[in-house]
Coordinates of all heavy atoms in Angstrom, one line a residue:
I9 N 105.3 81.3 95.1 CA 106.1 81.1 93.9 C 106.6 82.5 93.3 O 107.5 82.5 92.5 CB 105.3 80.3 92.8 CG1 106.2 79.9 91.7 CG2 104.1 81.1 92.3 CD1 107.4 79.0 92.0
K10 N 106.0 83.5 93.8 CA 106.2 84.9 93.3 C 107.4 85.5 94.0 O 107.3 86.0 95.1 CB 105.0 85.8 93.4 CG 103.8 85.3 92.7 CD 103.9 85.4 91.2 CE 102.6 85.0 90.5 NZ 102.7 85.2 89.0
G11 N 108.6 85.5 93.3 CA 109.8 86.0 94.0 C 109.8 87.5 94.3 O 110.3 88.0 95.3
A12 N 109.1 88.3 93.4 CA 109.1 89.8 93.7 C 108.2 90.1 94.8 O 108.4 91.1 95.5 CB 108.6 90.5 92.4
R13 N 107.2 89.3 95.1 CA 106.3 89.5 96.2 C 107.0 89.0 97.5 O 107.0 89.7 98.5 CB 105.0 88.7 96.0 CG 104.1 89.2 94.9 CD 102.8 88.4 94.8 NE 102.0 88.8 93.7 CZ 100.9 88.2 93.3 NH1 100.5 87.1 94.0 NH2 100.2 88.6 92.3
I14 N 107.5 87.8 97.5 CA 108.1 87.2 98.7 C 109.3 88.0 99.2 O 109.6 88.0 100.4 CB 108.5 85.7 98.4 CG1 108.3 84.9 99.7 CG2 109.8 85.6 97.8 CD1 108.5 83.4 99.4
W15 N 109.9 88.8 98.3 CA 111.0 89.7 98.6 C 110.7 90.6 99.8 O 111.5 90.9 100.7 CB 111.4 90.5 97.4 CG 112.3 91.7 97.7 CD1 113.6 91.7 97.8 CD2 111.8 93.1 97.9 NE1 114.1 93.0 98.1 CE2 113.0 93.8 98.2 CE3 110.6 93.7 97.9 CZ2 112.9 95.2 98.4 CZ3 110.5 95.0 98.2 CH2 111.6 95.8 98.4
R16 N 109.4 91.2 99.8 CA 109.1 92.1 100.8 C 109.1 91.5 102.2 O 109.6 92.1 103.1 CB 107.7 92.7 100.5 CG 107.1 93.7 101.5 CD 107.9 95.0 101.5 NE 109.0 95.0 102.5 CZ 109.9 96.0 102.6 NH1 109.8 97.0 101.7 NH2 110.8 95.9 103.5
G17 N 108.5 90.4 102.3 CA 108.5 89.7 103.6 C 109.9 89.3 104.1 O 110.2 89.5 105.3
C18 N 110.7 88.9 103.2 CA 112.1 88.5 103.5 C 112.9 89.7 103.9 O 113.6 89.6 104.9 CB 112.7 87.8 102.3 SG 113.7 86.4 102.7
K19 N 112.7 90.8 103.2 CA 113.5 92.0 103.6 C 113.0 92.5 105.0 O 113.9 92.9 105.8 CB 113.2 93.1 102.5 CG 114.1 94.3 102.7 CD 114.0 95.2 101.5 CE 114.9 96.5 101.7 NZ 116.4 96.1 101.6
T20 N 111.7 92.5 105.2 CA 111.2 93.0 106.5 C 111.7 92.1 107.6 O 112.1 92.6 108.7 CB 109.7 93.1 106.5 OG1 109.2 94.0 105.4 CG2 109.1 93.5 107.8
S21 N 111.6 90.8 107.5 CA 112.0 89.9 108.5 C 113.5 90.1 108.9 O 113.9 90.0 110.0 CB 111.7 88.5 108.2 OG 112.5 88.0 107.1
N22 N 114.3 90.4 107.9 CA 115.8 90.6 108.1 C 116.0 92.0 108.8 O 116.8 92.1 109.7 CB 116.5 90.5 106.8 CG 116.8 89.1 106.4 OD1 117.7 88.4 106.9 ND2 116.0 88.5 105.6
E23 N 115.2 93.0 108.3 CA 115.3 94.3 109.0 C 115.0 94.2 110.5 O 115.6 94.9 111.3 CB 114.5 95.3 108.2 CG 115.0 95.7 106.9 CD 114.0 96.5 106.1 OE1 112.8 96.6 106.5 OE2 114.4 97.1 105.0
L24 N 114.0 93.4 110.8 CA 113.5 93.3 112.1 C 114.3 92.2 112.9 O 114.1 92.0 114.1 CB 112.0 92.8 112.2 CG 111.0 93.8 111.6 CD1 109.6 93.2 111.5 CD2 111.0 95.1 112.5
K25 N 115.3 91.6 112.2 CA 116.2 90.6 112.9 C 115.4 89.5 113.5 O 115.7 89.0 114.6 CB 117.1 91.3 113.9 CG 118.1 92.3 113.2 CD 119.0 92.9 114.3 CE 120.1 93.7 113.6 NZ 119.6 94.7 112.8
L26 N 114.4 89.0 112.8 CA 113.6 87.9 113.3 C 114.3 86.6 113.0 O 114.5 86.3 111.8 CB 112.2 87.9 112.6 CG 111.3 89.1 113.0 CD1 110.0 89.1 112.2 CD2 111.0 89.2 114.5
S27 N 114.5 85.8 114.0 CA 115.2 84.5 113.8 C 114.3 83.3 113.6 O 114.8 82.2 113.3 CB 116.2 84.2 115.0 OG 115.4 84.1 116.2
N28 N 113.0 83.6 113.7 CA 112.0 82.5 113.6 C 111.2 82.6 112.3 O 110.1 82.1 112.2 CB 111.1 82.5 114.8 CG 110.3 83.7 114.9 OD1 110.7 84.8 114.5 ND2 109.1 83.6 115.5
V29 N 111.8 83.2 111.2 CA 111.1 83.3 110.0 C 112.0 82.8 108.8 O 113.2 83.1 108.8 CB 110.8 84.8 109.7 CG1 110.0 84.9 108.3 CG2 109.9 85.4 110.8
A30 N 111.4 82.1 107.9 CA 112.0 81.7 106.6 C 111.0 81.9 105.5 O 109.8 81.9 105.8 CB 112.6 80.3 106.7
F31 N 111.5 81.9 104.3 CA 110.7 82.0 103.1 C 111.1 80.9 102.1 O 112.3 80.8 101.9 CB 110.6 83.4 102.5 CG 109.9 84.3 103.3 CD1 110.5 85.1 104.3 CD2 108.5 84.5 103.2 CE1 109.8 86.0 105.1 CE2 107.8 85.4 104.0 CZ 108.4 86.2 104.9
L32 N 110.2 80.2 101.5 CA 110.5 79.2 100.5 C 109.8 79.5 99.2 O 108.5 79.6 99.2 CB 110.0 77.8 101.1 CG 110.1 76.6 100.2 CD1 111.5 76.3 99.8 CD2 109.4 75.4 100.9
R33 N 110.5 79.7 98.2 CA 110.0 80.0 96.9 C 109.8 78.7 96.1 O 110.7 78.1 95.6 CB 110.8 81.0 96.1 CG 110.2 81.4 94.8 CD 111.1 82.3 94.0 NE 110.4 82.7 92.8 CZ 111.0 83.2 91.7 NH1 112.3 83.5 91.8 NH2 110.4 83.5 90.6
T34 N 108.5 78.3 96.0 CA 108.2 77.1 95.2 C 106.7 77.0 95.0 O 106.0 77.8 95.6 CB 108.7 75.8 96.0 OG1 108.5 74.7 95.1 CG2 107.8 75.5 97.2
R35 N 106.3 76.1 94.2 CA 104.8 75.8 94.0 C 104.3 75.0 95.2 O 104.9 74.0 95.6 CB 104.6 75.1 92.7 CG 105.0 76.0 91.5 CD 104.6 75.3 90.2 NE 105.1 76.1 89.1 CZ 104.6 77.2 88.6 NH1 103.5 77.7 89.2 NH2 105.1 77.9 87.6
I36 N 103.1 75.4 95.7 CA 102.6 74.7 96.8 C 102.3 73.2 96.5 O 102.4 72.3 97.3 CB 101.3 75.4 97.3 CG1 101.7 76.8 97.8 CG2 100.5 74.6 98.3 CD1 100.6 77.7 98.1
Q37 N 102.0 72.9 95.2 CA 101.7 71.5 94.8 C 102.9 70.6 95.0 O 102.8 69.4 95.1 CB 101.3 71.5 93.3 CG 100.0 72.1 93.0 CD 100.0 73.6 92.8 OE1 101.1 74.3 93.1 NE2 99.0 74.2 92.3
L38 N 104.1 71.2 95.2 CA 105.3 70.4 95.4 C 105.8 70.4 96.8 O 106.9 70.0 97.1 CB 106.4 71.0 94.5 CG 106.1 71.1 93.0 CD1 107.3 71.8 92.3 CD2 105.8 69.8 92.4
I39 N 104.9 70.7 97.8 CA 105.3 71.0 99.2 C 106.0 69.7 99.8 O 106.8 69.9 100.7 CB 104.1 71.4 100.0 CG1 104.5 72.1 101.3 CG2 103.1 70.3 100.2 CD1 105.2 73.4 101.1
E40 N 105.6 68.5 99.4 CA 106.2 67.3 100.0 C 107.7 67.2 99.7 O 108.4 66.5 100.5 CB 105.4 66.1 99.4 CG 105.9 64.8 100.2 CD 105.4 63.5 99.5 OE1 104.8 63.6 98.4 OE2 105.6 62.5 100.1
R41 N 108.2 67.9 98.7 CA 109.6 67.8 98.5 C 110.5 68.5 99.5 O 111.7 68.4 99.5 CB 109.9 68.4 97.1 CG 109.2 67.7 95.9 CD 109.7 68.2 94.6 NE 109.0 67.6 93.5 CZ 109.4 67.7 92.2 NH1 110.5 68.5 91.9 NH2 108.7 67.2 91.2
F42 N 109.8 69.3 100.3 CA 110.6 70.2 101.2 C 110.4 70.0 102.7 O 111.1 70.6 103.5 CB 110.2 71.7 100.9 CG 110.4 72.0 99.4 CD1 109.3 72.0 98.6 CD2 111.7 72.2 98.9 CE1 109.5 72.3 97.2 CE2 111.8 72.5 97.6 CZ 110.7 72.5 96.7
F43 N 109.4 69.1 103.0 CA 109.1 68.8 104.4 C 108.9 67.3 104.6 O 108.3 66.7 103.7 CB 107.9 69.6 104.9 CG 108.1 71.1 104.9 CD1 107.6 71.7 103.7 CD2 108.7 71.8 105.9 CE1 107.8 73.1 103.6 CE2 108.8 73.1 105.8 CZ 108.4 73.8 104.7
E44 N 109.3 66.8 105.7 CA 109.1 65.4 106.0 C 107.7 65.2 106.7 O 107.1 66.1 107.2 CB 110.2 64.8 107.0 CG 111.5 64.6 106.3 CD 111.6 63.4 105.4 OE1 110.5 62.7 105.3 OE2 112.6 63.1 104.9
K45 N 107.3 64.0 106.8 CA 106.1 63.6 107.5 C 106.2 64.1 109.0 O 107.3 63.9 109.6 CB 105.8 62.1 107.5 CG 104.6 61.6 108.3 CD 103.3 62.2 107.7 CE 102.1 61.6 108.5 NZ 100.8 62.3 108.1
N46 N 105.2 64.7 109.6 CA 105.2 65.1 111.0 C 106.1 66.3 111.2 O 106.3 66.7 112.4 CB 105.6 64.0 111.9 CG 104.6 62.8 111.9 OD1 103.4 63.0 111.8 ND2 105.2 61.6 111.9
E47 N 106.5 67.0 110.2 CA 107.4 68.1 110.4 C 106.6 69.4 110.6 O 107.2 70.4 111.3 CB 108.4 68.3 109.3 CG 109.5 69.3 109.6 CD 110.7 69.2 108.5 OE1 110.5 68.6 107.5 OE2 111.7 69.7 108.8
V48 N 105.4 69.5 110.1 CA 104.6 70.8 110.2 C 103.5 70.6 111.2 O 102.8 69.6 111.2 CB 104.1 71.1 108.8 CG1 103.2 72.3 108.9 CG2 105.3 71.4 107.8
D49 N 103.3 71.7 112.0 CA 102.3 71.7 113.1 C 101.0 72.4 112.7 O 100.0 72.1 113.2 CB 102.9 72.3 114.4 CG 104.0 71.6 114.9 OD1 105.2 71.7 114.4 OD2 103.8 70.8 115.9
E50 N 101.2 73.4 111.8 CA 100.0 74.2 111.6 C 100.2 74.9 110.2 O 101.3 75.1 109.7 CB 99.9 75.3 112.6 CG 98.6 76.2 112.6 CD 98.4 77.0 113.8 OE1 99.3 77.0 114.7 OE2 97.4 77.8 113.9
I51 N 99.1 75.2 109.5 CA 99.1 75.8 108.2 C 98.1 77.0 108.2 O 97.0 76.9 108.8 CB 98.7 74.9 107.1 CG1 99.8 73.8 106.9 CG2 98.4 75.6 105.8 CD1 99.4 72.7 105.9
W52 N 98.6 78.1 107.7 CA 97.7 79.3 107.5 C 97.6 79.5 106.0 O 98.5 79.4 105.2 CB 98.4 80.6 108.1 CG 98.2 80.7 109.6 CD1 98.9 80.1 110.5 CD2 97.1 81.4 110.2 NE1 98.4 80.5 111.8 CE2 97.3 81.2 111.6 CE3 96.0 82.2 109.8 CZ2 96.4 81.8 112.5 CZ3 95.2 82.7 110.7 CH2 95.4 82.6 112.1

């Protein structure tokens, strides 16, 4: 949810030209609004 923190990862991933990275700014309690059932394989 912290936009100023997530900025660093987003900037780095773009500088490295990583095509397999995205960032989602939201509260984790609302995670169902952004993914369908069976869409996620693993969580860290």
Side-chain angles (χ1 to χ4, degrees):
I9 192 59
K10 301 289 188 179
R13 293 180 186 174
I14 212 169
W15 164 87
R16 179 66 269 173
C18 219
K19 188 172 182 67
T20 299
S21 65
N22 280 279
E23 290 172 345
L24 295 174
K25 296 181 170 57
L26 296 174
S27 61
N28 62 330
V29 180
F31 288 91
L32 174 63
R33 186 184 179 195
T34 190
R35 297 187 184 281
I36 293 167
Q37 293 85 346
L38 304 177
I39 198 71
E40 188 191 6
R41 298 189 183 190
F42 307 100
F43 299 93
E44 287 285 3
K45 177 65 177 175
N46 297 320
E47 193 167 14
V48 174
D49 297 80
E50 187 170 359
I51 290 173
W52 280 86

